[in-house]
């Protein structure tokens, strides 16, 4: 309700409620913060979005981050190699909230992440970015020239081929 009313003074209290023991309270607080576009809540929302958080909380928190649209701070989570879960969330948020703000140079390194879920999310993002063909081709060629092609690398090659194989000049 506070989010619908546009009560920006309630942001601090809503941020506190993200730590409540009750799932529905955390979900409602995240939703309200998104409706308020409370940029002060971005770090707290990422903190809320732990891998073991309930699905409804994950959805509400991710949606709130998309609605807030705080690009610069979200990008810092994209670079956090110590937290693959947050990298995935940051990718989703940036891809949905402000697609133009996400650069190929920020996503390409994630294709080589040691975390399969991060690689999969990066592949999902690049699959819709046909204007990124050149940097994707560079990664693709580096994967093909890997001394030992593991199952993970083979899956990366397959994902890139699936996404870009029909693009003119990609497999020439």
């Amino acid at each position: 309700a506070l989010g619908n009313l546009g009560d920006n003074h309630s942001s601090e209290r809503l941020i506190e409620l993200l730590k409540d023991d009750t799932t529905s309270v955390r979900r409602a607080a995240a939703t309200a913060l998104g409706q308020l576009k409370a940029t002060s809540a971005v770090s707290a929302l990422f903190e809320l979005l732990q891998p073991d958080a309930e699905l409804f909380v994950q959805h509400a928190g991710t949606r709130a981050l998309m609605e807030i649209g705080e690009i610069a701070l979200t990008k810092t989570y994209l670079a956090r190699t110590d937290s693959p879960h947050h990298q995935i969330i940051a990718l989703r948020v940036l891809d949905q909230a402000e697609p133009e703000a996400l650069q190929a140079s920020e996503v390409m390194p994630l294709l080589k992440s040691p975390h399969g879920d991060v690689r999969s999310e990066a592949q999902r993002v690049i699959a819709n970015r046909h204007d990124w063909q050149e940097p994707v081709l560079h990664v693709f060629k580096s994967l093909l020239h890997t001394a030992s092609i593991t199952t993970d690398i083979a899956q990366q090659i397959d994902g890139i081929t699936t996404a870009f194989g029909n693009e003119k000049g990609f497999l020439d």
Side-chain angles (χ1 to χ4, degrees), residues 46 49-51 58 76-92 110 113-122:
F46 269 102
L49 297 172
Q50 296 300 315
Q58 290 276 350
T76 66
Y77 288 91
L78 188 62
R80 288 189 55 187
T81 57
D82 64 321
S83 181
H85 183 70
H86 287 137
Q87 286 181 301
I88 292 167
I89 292 167
L91 261 175
R92 288 177 184 160
L110 300 177
S113 170
H115 306 285
D117 291 344
V118 173
R119 288 193 310 270
S120 293
E121 189 65 20

Side-chain angles (χ1 to χ4, degrees), residues 15 38-47 65 68-70 73-74 77:
I15 290 169
T39 57
S40 61
V42 171
S43 294
L45 286 164
F46 269 102
E47 184 61 32
L65 288 166
I68 293 168
E70 172 51 54
L73 187 52
T74 300
Y77 288 91

